[in-house]
Amino acid sequence: MKADLRGAGVRHLAMAAPSGASDRASVRRANLGLVLRLLRDAGARPRTRIAAETGLPKATITNLIAELVQNGLVREGRTERDGSIGRPGLTVELDGRAICGIGVEINVDYLSLIALNLRGDVIVERRVPLDVPGTEAAVVLDTTAAVIRETLDTLRARGARAVGVTLAAPGVIDPDTGVVGYAPNIGWRQVAALDGLRDRLGPGAPPLGMENDAKLGAVAEYLLASAADIHDLIYVTGETGVGGGIISGGQLLRGSAGFAGEIGHMPLDPTGFPCACGRRGCWETMVGLSALLRFAADPDDVVRDPAVDLEQRLADLRDRAASGDPRTLGALDRVADSLGLGLALLADVLNPRAIVLGGHFAYFDDFLLERVRSVLDERVMAPDVGGCEIMLSTLGFTAAARGGAYHALEPVYRDPSGTTAALG
Ligand SMILES: [Zn+2]
């Protein structure tokens, strides 16, 4: 689906609770952030429209935009006729080209890093193959710190600066303490990841944060979808593990203790295959990458060789499907049926406007989608699947790192003048 950037919505994703203070300075901070978020989520627009959409007086908007321009966070761009009558007005758009957020994803067989500037342009992108479960956590953190350090040097050399680094980690994590509590697919239990990175990066490093990888993937997807006025979505990661990120009414759903979205372990076949979590028949044993590869190929087949780049193996498998290979098509049908079953359950419970399939699912287009859609049509209680569209992610395996980079830029939205003042 192609997003219609013109018909943009005006709800905004807040990744942290707003401050409770209500003095003048904090109201101004909140208003500056409101305008910035609107420009991020809905795109460039004239001042008059910003005033209408935020409900703030035009004089206030003029004043706020002057401060944002002065701080290099927005700029006035081309003229645009707002409607068919009246004078064309200057549009205001995000700037902040020198201000970056860094997201780093630790996955089962790679580290992925993305640095985005405030406009959302990719400034640095790195992917380092790494056998994370087979490597000591301390060594994984060494490598992660080295990649971050190189990126900070690259940004500095280009006159840009990072305002934050967010680690996207699989499994159950505590964003406040920076501890990965339990991530069975990479074999981590109680790893103090953020403290470890802080020690390695030293005192000059930007602030470090952490969030679950699927939740950050959902954030990245939502920033695309919100421009098409979609505010309720489920993002499903597809890799060895299957995770979910849920955006409900424009807000990331964390649940009472942060476990919301652990959809990979829904017990859909209690007598099925053993799962990395120690149970049997979790959803990810039916639809995860390992399941697909096991159904599609023998153990000595090249598509099951972890030494070969994953994207290459998936491209191979897609070619086999395209050439009509019965075993590959059978494997995809089997995964599609189980995928549809779990998604129907989620659609019944959450009634999302969109479900975005990422990771390996996104490689198989109609070989997977048509069948998934027909299972949903058949199983979801609401008519027309409750208005839910099933889409493929366009972010590939970068969604979590990208969401991490957006997350790392959050301080700019919370305090637009503070961040740039700190940048000196
Ligand atoms: Zn499980």
Side-chain angles (χ1 to χ4, degrees):
M1 200 203 81
K2 191 85 189 99
D4 173 12
L5 296 172
R6 292 292 116 202
V10 290
R11 286 191 247 171
H12 314 289
L13 183 68
M15 294 177 221
S19 132
S22 62
D23 56 283
R24 248 177 113 96
S26 67
V27 169
R28 186 169 177 84
R29 262 201 305 277
N31 285 339
L32 288 166
L34 181 68
V35 172
L36 266 192
R37 282 184 211 279
L38 173 68
L39 294 172
R40 176 192 67 187
D41 299 349
R45 57 236 296 108
R47 285 159 193 253
T48 46
R49 199 161 158 200
I50 297 173
E53 289 169 343
T54 56
L56 294 169
K58 276 184 198 165
T60 306
I61 290 296
T62 300
N63 200 298
L64 293 171
I65 287 170
E67 180 170 342
L68 293 170
V69 168
Q70 200 187 352
N71 289 336
L73 298 175
V74 308
R75 63 175 186 170
E76 290 183 294
R78 62 190 194 290
T79 54
E80 184 187 85
R81 195 171 283 279
D82 195 16
S84 57
I85 50 165
R87 285 184 299 125
L90 280 178
T91 58
V92 180
E93 63 183 30
L94 275 188
D95 195 7
R97 270 168 282 198
I99 299 171
C100 294
I102 298 176
V104 195
E105 181 195 6
I106 297 183
N107 208 309
V108 175
D109 45 20
Y110 61 84
L111 298 178
S112 163
L113 176 147
I114 285 188
L116 295 177
N117 66 14
L118 201 63
R119 296 163 54 86
D121 305 322
V122 176
I123 306 302
V124 178
E125 184 165 5
R126 292 279 312 273
R127 199 175 135 117
V128 181
L130 183 66
D131 172 19
V132 175
T135 308
E136 254 183 80
V139 177
V140 173
L141 292 176
D142 286 344
T143 311
T144 310
V147 179
I148 294 171
R149 214 176 289 119
E150 281 166 29
T151 304
L152 293 172
D153 289 344
T154 307
L155 293 179
R156 212 169 294 125
R158 293 188 194 175
R161 195 161 156 196
V163 294
V165 179
T166 295
L167 191 65
V172 178
I173 60 116
D174 182 342
D176 297 326
T177 60
V179 172
V180 177
Y182 179 47
N185 288 314
I186 57 169
W188 283 17
R189 244 178 217 282
Q190 298 303 322
V191 174
L194 285 196
D195 280 350
L197 281 180
R198 257 183 221 114
D199 290 346
R200 287 164 174 83
L201 292 169
L208 299 177
M210 181 161 79
E211 184 50 278
N212 167 272
D213 55 359
K215 288 187 176 67
L216 289 173
V219 165
E221 293 294 347
Y222 178 59
L223 289 175
L224 294 178
S226 66
D229 214 11
I230 292 175
H231 304 285
D232 297 85
L233 75 81
I234 303 172
Y235 170 66
V236 182
T237 65
E239 240 275 10
T240 305
V242 171
I246 301 161
I247 304 280
S248 179
Q251 298 289 323
L252 181 65
L253 202 72
R254 303 197 83 263
S256 66
F259 291 81
E262 280 298 330
I263 57 179
H265 302 281
M266 295 190 294
L268 290 189
D269 181 10
T271 59
F273 292 100
C275 180
C277 73
R279 300 177 185 85
R280 263 183 189 280
C282 297
W283 195 33
E284 72 180 40
T285 68
M286 304 159 74
V287 302
L289 180 65
S290 309
L292 173 65
L293 296 177
R294 191 173 60 236
F295 302 152
D298 292 329
D300 57 350
D301 192 305
V302 65
V303 299
R304 289 181 66 175
D305 182 356
V308 178
D309 182 66
L310 178 58
E311 298 194 33
Q312 179 56 49
R313 291 188 276 146
L314 290 170
D316 269 11
L317 214 52
R318 186 179 48 204
D319 289 346
R320 290 182 198 179
S323 68
D325 174 57
R327 178 155 180 194
T328 308
L329 292 174
L332 286 167
D333 283 353
R334 193 167 164 188
V335 167
D337 287 344
S338 304
L339 192 57
L341 205 63
L343 295 180
L345 201 155
L346 294 171
D348 274 338
V349 175
L350 293 160
N351 184 212
R353 171 74 177 71
I355 293 175
V356 185
L357 302 176
H360 68 275
F361 302 124
Y363 271 72
F364 296 100
D365 305 318
D366 285 342
F367 295 114
L368 214 61
L369 268 189
E370 274 178 29
R371 200 160 168 127
V372 168
R373 286 192 180 117
S374 72
V375 176
L376 283 165
D377 276 336
E378 192 188 308
R379 313 252 4 172
V380 174
M381 175 68 187
D384 299 324
V385 195
C388 175
E389 279 179 72
I390 313 293
M391 302 182 216
L392 297 178
S393 169
T394 53
L395 298 177
F397 287 101
T398 69
R402 206 173 263 269
Y406 283 121
H407 184 273
L409 284 164
E410 255 313 280
V412 182
Y413 295 92
R414 271 202 304 276
D415 184 5
S417 11
T419 333
T420 43
L423 288 174

